[in-house]
Amino acid sequence: MHYFEYKKGELYCERVPVSRIAQQVGTPFYLYSYRTLVRHFKVFNEAFEGIPHLVCYSMKANSNLALIRLFVNLGGGVDVVSGGELYRALKAGADPQKIVFSGVGKKEDEIEYALKASILMFNVESSMELRTINEVAGRMNRKAPISIRVNPDIDARTHPYITTGMKQNKFGIDILRAPMAYRLASELPNLKVMGIDCHLGSQLVDVEPFVEALKKLKSLVDDLRREGMEIRYLDLGGGLGITYNDEEPPHPYEYASNILEEIRSFNCTLILEPGRVIVGNAGILVSRVLYTKENEEKRFIIVDAAMNDLVRPSYYGSFHQILPVREEAREEIVADVVGPICESADFLAKGRKMPRPNPGELITVMSAGAYGFSMATNYNSRPRVAEVLVRDDEIHVIRKREEYEDLVRGEEIPEFLRDNSKFQSSNVK
Ligand SMILES: *Cc1c(COP(=O)(O)O)cnc(C)c1O
């Protein structure tokens, strides 16, 4: 459910024609719908009404300050995975007591930063990390709140790059070794055990893996409680999938009701870390067709957005629907939609059946709100694109398009390279 719709043959975001925004900010740009974002967050959050819970938006899906602030305003917390994300979360006004810090490779300075900020807890992924956090906390005269991220060895049945809860993945502590890690954590003087955590992967389209994981976690918590450990939080991570093409993921209500059934009388606060399901279908990437060309075998649509703007098709082979901004009757063709980057992996769609686009016209890549801009790079020295938030009939630029100057910020030519004549003479050996 989203608010990108055709009205009289024109694609609108809420009450604004997409073409008007293109006129104003140029192309390409990311476009988010405020109403859609609010709706997605609220539906997800309300699905868990009835038990104590905290929705920590997983900001790596889309880390724009405006979006974080929007979810913070709705009572959300944030799941961060780096010092940089923590900085953004705080800058956006997130309540530190609603921030959880995940990730396999937290550095000492990041741990220190998070302790200073008084975050809710660290999701710890190894025994060595427990020791490091204990040390840093000791140095600062603090007690570090921690959960242990357990790897429940469950097949999330999604793309291998976004499966995280199996033995062969780098994430979490093997569930069989977890009790040992908990014993270590409760012996270390500067740690405070708060709960248990897991995250199975991303774009899951079945509820079964979640329920299976929850059952495993519950039985582990029962054991830990018998040993006298206090487990107050159970964090089930994120990972609920969305419809890109023909996937049929469970509605948040269905997802929640399956989880609630398991956990209602379990006496803990549930934490959820949704990313994609909140922002994925609330954003699109708008681009302009530059050229079309064909040979005996193939037809190419060359557009001004590329893999540096949206890497998912190249990286995961992901499907994104591509639609013309102006809807009209036209011939169906099969084509590759490609960007200007000098890589054959630079495509947004391959062998796609689509209405024939004309040079100069606008197209949109749908479902691009998650892992779109947040994975964008400057490859081929392409300035990162603008991000726009539409609310009703208002257009808000929430990140302006980068300029050429931004591309070289921080770079420097060392003194010894600057004098061309010296360089040539010293180069002759
Ligand atoms: C990426 C990630 C999430 C969010 O995953 P989605 O599939 O976007 O919901 C949640 N928790 C952790 C630890 C993650 O790494």
Side-chain angles (χ1 to χ4, degrees):
M1 177 67 210
H2 56 70
Y3 295 92
F4 298 98
E5 285 166 336
Y6 289 104
K7 289 176 203 168
K8 294 195 182 123
E10 269 268 344
L11 187 69
Y12 274 69
C13 176
E14 303 194 15
R15 285 174 55 202
V16 182
V18 170
S19 58
R20 187 192 302 160
I21 307 168
Q23 250 167 30
Q24 202 171 307
V25 305
T27 55
F29 62 95
Y30 276 96
L31 174 58
Y32 311 116
S33 149
Y34 174 80
R35 259 179 95 182
T36 311
L37 292 163
V38 170
R39 186 193 155 92
H40 286 180
F41 186 89
K42 279 193 169 166
V43 165
F44 191 93
N45 193 31
E46 281 161 15
F48 291 93
E49 238 169 40
I51 65 155
H53 71 279
L54 177 62
V55 176
C56 290
Y57 166 61
S58 180
M59 63 172 279
K60 74 177 193 287
N62 189 319
S63 44
N64 187 288
L65 291 180
L67 267 60
I68 300 170
R69 179 53 168 262
L70 190 164
F71 302 132
V72 163
N73 288 350
L74 296 172
V78 189
D79 168 41
V80 306
V81 294
S82 70
E85 283 199 350
L86 177 56
Y87 174 79
R88 278 180 177 276
L90 295 171
K91 189 117 184 143
D95 175 355
Q97 277 299 297
K98 290 183 178 175
I99 295 178
V100 297
F101 193 161
S102 308
V104 286
K106 302 177 195 75
K107 295 173 70 169
E108 289 199 16
D109 62 318
E110 293 176 310
I111 294 166
E112 202 178 306
Y113 181 30
L115 283 170
K116 259 197 203 122
S118 294
I119 64 163
L120 179 59
M121 70 184 94
F122 296 90
N123 290 331
V124 179
E125 307 217 11
S126 65
S127 298
M128 276 178 81
E129 189 192 334
L130 283 174
R131 291 181 196 279
T132 299
I133 294 178
N134 178 62
E135 253 173 54
V136 177
R139 243 184 273 146
M140 296 171 67
N141 242 330
R142 298 234 186 188
K143 259 195 179 298
I146 64 110
S147 275
I148 286 177
R149 174 164 173 184
V150 169
N151 184 326
D153 193 27
I154 282 171
D155 186 355
R157 286 162 245 159
T158 180
H159 191 286
Y161 286 10
I162 48 177
T163 299
T164 57
M166 293 177 77
K167 269 205 177 96
Q168 58 265 44
N169 303 132
K170 68 177 176 179
F171 297 98
I173 295 179
D174 185 280
I175 192 153
L176 299 172
R177 288 162 199 258
M180 256 169 14
Y182 271 100
R183 277 170 222 138
L184 172 66
S186 41
E187 280 160 17
L188 292 171
N190 310 312
L191 299 184
K192 180 170 172 32
V193 175
M194 305 280 283
I196 191 165
D197 167 52
C198 79
H199 172 69
L200 301 179
S202 205
Q203 185 56 15
L204 273 69
V205 291
D206 297 313
V207 281
E208 286 78 29
F210 292 108
V211 174
E212 215 181 310
L214 190 48
K215 286 192 165 133
K216 285 193 173 187
L217 256 57
K218 274 172 61 186
S219 119
L220 175 57
V221 171
D222 283 335
D223 292 347
L224 296 172
R225 283 178 171 166
R226 269 195 289 278
E227 288 189 34
M229 274 178 247
E230 210 183 318
I231 306 289
R232 289 197 289 137
Y233 291 90
L234 191 152
D235 184 338
L236 201 54
L240 186 58
I242 62 169
T243 303
Y244 285 99
N245 186 19
D246 50 11
E247 303 90 337
E248 288 175 352
H251 187 277
Y253 285 143
E254 189 191 339
Y255 166 76
S257 74
N258 278 274
I259 290 165
L260 289 179
E261 201 171 301
E262 281 294 322
I263 210 176
R264 202 178 289 282
S265 54
F266 200 60
N267 193 24
C268 62
T269 298
L270 179 65
I271 296 180
L272 300 140
E273 303 170 348
R276 189 190 310 270
V277 70
I278 308 288
V279 293
N281 276 321
I284 64 177
L285 173 63
V286 182
S287 176
R288 198 175 284 285
V289 178
L290 299 173
Y291 307 105
T292 60
K293 69 173 175 183
E294 52 199 85
N295 59 31
E296 306 81 60
E297 282 185 20
K298 274 204 167 275
R299 199 189 300 256
F300 297 97
I301 312 295
I302 301 154
V303 301
D304 66 358
M307 66 185 287
N308 73 298
D309 305 309
L310 178 70
V311 79
R312 299 189 68 259
S314 314
Y315 186 43
Y316 307 113
S318 307
F319 179 99
H320 285 266
Q321 229 189 336
I322 296 184
L323 300 173
V325 166
R326 176 171 287 286
E327 197 183 36
E328 58 195 16
R330 38 178 128 195
E331 173 201 5
E332 287 262 314
I333 57 162
V334 174
D336 287 8
V337 180
V338 302
I341 283 187
C342 311
E343 298 279 345
S344 290
D346 178 26
F347 59 87
L348 298 171
K350 274 219 152 153
R352 180 68 55 84
K353 197 169 173 193
M354 61 193 297
R356 179 201 284 277
N358 302 307
E361 82 166 307
L362 295 169
I363 56 137
T364 79
V365 184
M366 302 303 284
S367 313
Y371 307 103
F373 190 92
S374 65
M375 291 179 91
T377 69
N378 289 120
Y379 188 40
N380 275 209
S381 285
R382 289 166 52 86
R384 281 181 297 173
V385 305
E387 290 181 285
V388 177
L389 178 68
V390 160
R391 173 178 173 253
D392 199 27
D393 61 355
E394 303 160 11
I395 301 172
H396 301 273
V397 176
I398 56 172
R399 193 181 208 274
K400 59 178 192 176
R401 186 180 307 284
E402 287 180 343
E403 293 175 13
Y404 289 152
E405 254 179 39
D406 297 318
L407 294 175
V408 294
R409 188 175 320 130
E411 290 182 29
E412 197 167 300
I413 300 172
E415 185 64 45
F416 81 93
L417 288 176
R418 285 186 209 166
D419 188 335
N420 208 25
S421 59
K422 252 193 250 166
F423 177 69
Q424 281 171 355
S425 60
S426 69
N427 210 13
V428 182
K429 282 244 166 89

